[in-house]
């Protein structure tokens, strides 16, 4: 385990089994103090299980949880320096807003005046000043979520766990609340661990993102790294709008490998990747980096190109997608801003060349 | 909910049917209460309203003593059955085999009262014998009379009888409760008990109080099991049944039946009214919460 004081959360080989089902497989990672950390992944992947293990709501089958260096693996939630915001609001319906927010402070026997001051301050922090006497059912979904946030933050816990906190909100409110959460986290400066299956939400709020799927920690990194340079094929499939192409390594030189696609050979940047000739690999290129190009553009090595057949144009408002098919039958998408000048001569069935800047594709060996 | 195409007469017919059934079920009880206020008793051609029969009942030391015993039995049954039913309902929510759990909990309901009573009677007789033998073998008098028929055995019979009802009533209320609120309380620093008492209990209080009332009424109404297991004391129902069997229905009997009917109807009616009001309140809350959550 780490003894560094700036580590808020460290999990070591943490696992959870439900009968024969492995919900979490020996996951290890650490989170620095004051970081906004997102656990992102598909539903049923184990991210909520991981969060609940950190919060002490379930006991691990294997491994340990350290909070600020202290092993809390077998402590109940009320003995841990964590607080939690739930997806389904979980406000106490028989208590008004002020009593909900004050609940934890009363348990700690904080003097009444201090409780009132803290509750007022926290409600103003979440933009709900004057709502003290309202009952939970008199609030909108977003307001209820803010009350939950206030109830958790008022406890001055070092670590706040958020389990899909925005999942029940409409799209506009979700976007607003994302920014609000980020603002509040920066203001209070504590560690936030936010579970979500929504990549846009994770990219908006998180300093670092961990991709969790099938009970495994697939990959973690900064939001930009995860989006722009995914190391694992799964991450590339899950985050962003990536085109994935399979091939065989034909050769490697320096930080690049040549991938044989049968119908073309392309060079792919592979910093740090170990791929030998004959290895089956894949690479990804985000749809916004693909373009229909002139074949001559790829002659100098700065661009890679493959032949394709044009299928159709799909207008999506802000962007327009151009759908094409590679010779092996795989469909790929090139996405451009709708207000960019477009080549209107493209027709369904027309042969085209699709290209991308060489250093923008990412090689995946797993 | 009815659609716009439903024939209004179908709805009226359904209500008429429902009211007829309820009246048919309640009319003998209402008639008994009616007779209990007649100075001349059952079968008289004239009806003179009086409270005399009730005065006689409440002035009879044997009857008042039986009322006291019934009350002790009811209070003890409530004190023991309700926590047990509450625990059972909580275990049920955690149980993975819910159907088997419910079947087990409700099984005492499917055993006829006389069979249950006589089985317990035999069981307690044997148990008392076993305890006596144990005491004699060990040479101590401490085990003597533990399961001789009396208040303890009658109370055990009462608990076995009332537990399924209390369990069901509490479970229905508890089904509305979301476990995440307990987790939220724990996350705020509450112990398991504090989370239960401060967050969960206020939300299931109506069910628990209804169960208390229900168990009390069942204790007053029960005659067969108690009759077999009570030993040397009499409950109100036992006295009433004995009177009816031995001397037939007197004005006193009608008044006793009237007391039990009125108390039962008032208590159960109150529970129904409170439950309906609460249900309406909760559904209004649910409707409010179900409205689309718009940006604020």
């Amino acid at each position: 385990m780490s003894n560094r004081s700036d580590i808020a959360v460290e999990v070591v080989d943490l696992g959870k089994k439900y009968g024969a089902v492995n919900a979490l497989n020996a996951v290890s990672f650490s989170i620095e103090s004051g970081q906004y950390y997102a656990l992102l992944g598909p539903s049923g992947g184990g991210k909520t299980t991981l969060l609940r293990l950190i919060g002490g709501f379930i006991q691990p089958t294997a491994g340990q949880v350290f909070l600020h260096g202290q092993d809390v693996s077998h402590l109940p939630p009320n003995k841990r320096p964590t607080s939690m915001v739930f997806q389904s609001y979980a406000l106490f319906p028989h208590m008004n807003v002020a009593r909900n927010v004050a609940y934890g402070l009363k348990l700690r026997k904080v003097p009444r005046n201090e409780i009132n001051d803290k509750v007022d301050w926290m409600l103003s922090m979440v933009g709900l000043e004057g709502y003290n006497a309202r009952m939970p059912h008199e609030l909108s979904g977003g307001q209820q979520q803010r009350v939950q946030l206030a109830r958790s933050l008022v406890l001055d816990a070092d670590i706040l766990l958020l389990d899909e906190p925005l999942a029940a909100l409409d799209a506009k409110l979700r976007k607003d609340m994302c920014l609000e959460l980020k603002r509040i986290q920066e203001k209070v400066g504590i560690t936030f661990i936010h579970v979500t299956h929504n990549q846009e939400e994770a990219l908006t709020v998180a300093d670092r993102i961990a991709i969790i799927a099938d009970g495994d920690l697939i990959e973690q990194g900064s939001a930009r790294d995860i989006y722009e340079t995914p190391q694992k094929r799964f991450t590339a499939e899950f985050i962003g709008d990536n085109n994935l192409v399979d091939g065989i390594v034909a050769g490697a030189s320096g930080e690049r490998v040549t991938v044989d696609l049968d119908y073309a050979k392309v060079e792919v940047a592979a910093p740090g990747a170990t791929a030998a000739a004959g290895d089956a690999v894949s690479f990804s290129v985000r749809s916004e980096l693909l373009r229909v190009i002139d074949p001559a553009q790829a002659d100098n090595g700065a661009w890679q190109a493959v032949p394709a057949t044009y299928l159709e144009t799909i207008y999506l408002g802000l962007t327009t997608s151009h759908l094409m098919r590679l010779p092996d039958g795989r469909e790929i998408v090139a996405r451009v801003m709708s207000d960019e000048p477009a080549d209107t001569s493209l027709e369904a069935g027309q042969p085209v060349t699709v290209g991308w800047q060489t250093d923008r594709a990412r090689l995946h060996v797993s | 909910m009815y659609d716009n195409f439903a024939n209004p007469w179908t709805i009226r017919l359904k209500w008429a049917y429902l009211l007829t059934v309820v009246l048919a079920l309640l009319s003998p009880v209402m008639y008994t209460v009616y007779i209990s206020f007649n100075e001349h008793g059952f079968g008289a051609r004239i009806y003179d309203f009086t409270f005399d029969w009730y005065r006689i009942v409440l002035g009879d030391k044997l009857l008042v003593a039986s009322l006291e015993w019934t009350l002790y039995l009811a209070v003890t049954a409530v004190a023991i059955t309700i926590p047990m039913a509450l625990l059972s309902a909580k275990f049920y929510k955690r149980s993975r085999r819910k159907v088997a759990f419910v079947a087990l909990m409700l099984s005492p309901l499917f055993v006829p009262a006389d069979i249950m009573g006589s089985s317990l009677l035999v069981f307690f007789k044997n148990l008392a014998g076993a305890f006596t033998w144990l005491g004699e073998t060990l040479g101590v008098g401490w085990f003597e009379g533990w399961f001789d028929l009396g208040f303890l055995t009658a109370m055990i019979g009462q608990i076995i009888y009332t537990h399924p009802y209390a369990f069901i009533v509490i479970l229905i209320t508890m089904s509305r409760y979301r476990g995440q609120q307990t987790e939220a309380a724990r996350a705020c620093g509450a112990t398991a008990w504090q989370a239960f008492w401060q967050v969960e209990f206020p939300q299931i209080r109506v069910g628990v109080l209804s169960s208390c009332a229900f168990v009390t009424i069942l204790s007053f109404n029960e005659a067969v099991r108690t009759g077999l297991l009570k030993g040397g004391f009499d409950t109100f129902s036992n006295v009433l049944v004995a009177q009816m069997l031995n001397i037939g229905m007197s004005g006193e009997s009608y008044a006793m039946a009237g007391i039990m009917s009125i108390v039962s109807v008032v208590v159960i009616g109150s529970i129904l009214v409170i439950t309906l009001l609460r249900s309406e309140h909760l559904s209004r809350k649910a409707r409010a919460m179900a409205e689309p959550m718009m940006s604020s």
Side-chain angles (χ1 to χ4, degrees), chain A residues 52 57 76-78 82-84 86 88-95 103-104 107 137 141 151 155 168 170 172-173, chain B residues 96 178 180-181 183-191 194-195 198-200 202-203 281 285 288-289 293-296:
Chain A
R52 290 169 63 78
F57 296 101
N78 54 313
T82 54
S83 189
M84 186 143 165
F86 296 85
S88 60
Y89 313 137
L91 294 180
F92 309 136
H94 57 295
M95 298 182 193
Y103 181 72
L107 289 171
H137 69 270
R151 186 176 65 185
L155 298 172
D170 67 67
K172 168 76 167 66
L173 187 51
Chain B
R96 288 186 187 174
R178 285 183 298 144
Q180 271 196 342
Q181 287 174 29
E183 292 187 342
R186 299 298 307 274
C188 287
T191 61
Q194 285 171 324
Q198 294 164 356
V199 175
E200 184 172 2
Q203 296 180 60
H281 176 63
K285 260 191 195 178
M289 290 173 83
M293 293 155 190
M294 302 306 290
S295 311
S296 54

Side-chain angles (χ1 to χ4, degrees), chain A residues 91-250:
Chain A
L91 294 180
F92 309 136
H94 57 295
M95 298 182 193
N96 64 21
V97 166
R99 285 184 62 206
N100 261 284
V101 177
Y103 181 72
L105 297 174
K106 276 189 180 165
L107 289 171
R108 292 180 182 178
K109 302 192 189 311
V110 174
R112 186 185 291 266
N113 288 344
E114 202 178 321
I115 288 179
N116 292 340
D117 291 346
K118 281 194 166 189
V119 167
D120 288 343
W121 178 73
M122 198 45 74
L123 285 177
S124 71
M125 162 92 91
V126 298
L128 287 177
E129 46 282 72
Y131 280 67
N132 303 46
R134 295 264 188 108
M135 296 303 284
H137 69 270
E138 295 172 328
L139 304 174
S140 72
Q143 288 167 337
Q144 288 189 50
Q145 209 54 304
R146 283 164 197 257
V147 175
Q148 246 209 113
L149 198 58
R151 186 176 65 185
S152 299
L153 289 172
V154 80
L155 298 172
D156 291 329
D158 296 327
I159 300 154
L160 182 65
L161 312 173
L162 302 107
D163 185 12
E164 304 258 14
L166 312 178
L169 307 180
D170 67 67
K172 168 76 167 66
L173 187 51
R174 188 159 56 232
K175 206 169 268 183
D176 294 346
M177 279 295 290
C178 269
L179 299 171
E180 191 76 2
L181 278 175
K182 184 72 181 159
R183 181 187 67 78
I184 290 170
Q185 192 267 340
E186 284 169 356
K187 197 165 180 180
V188 296
I190 63 169
T191 311
F192 275 34
I193 308 177
H194 180 136
V195 161
T196 180
H197 61 267
N198 184 317
Q199 54 168 296
E200 195 183 343
E201 193 177 307
L203 290 168
T204 306
V205 296
D207 300 318
R208 280 179 79 77
I209 295 174
I211 306 292
I212 309 283
D214 295 329
D216 290 313
L217 172 62
I218 305 291
E219 185 175 349
Q220 60 171 324
S222 70
R224 185 175 287 273
D225 287 346
I226 289 282
Y227 184 78
E228 293 186 358
T229 56
Q231 301 298 309
K232 300 290 172 82
R233 182 190 168 101
F234 180 87
T235 310
E237 278 180 318
F238 189 74
I239 287 263
D241 188 8
N242 275 294
N243 294 289
L244 277 144
V245 181
D246 298 312
I248 304 291
V249 175

Side-chain angles (χ1 to χ4, degrees), chain B residues 3-21:
Chain B
D3 59 49
N4 290 337
F5 299 100
N7 185 336
W9 278 104
T10 315
I11 300 164
R12 285 171 200 149
L13 210 61
K14 282 177 189 168
W15 273 106
Y17 167 75
L18 196 69
L19 287 173
T20 308
V21 169

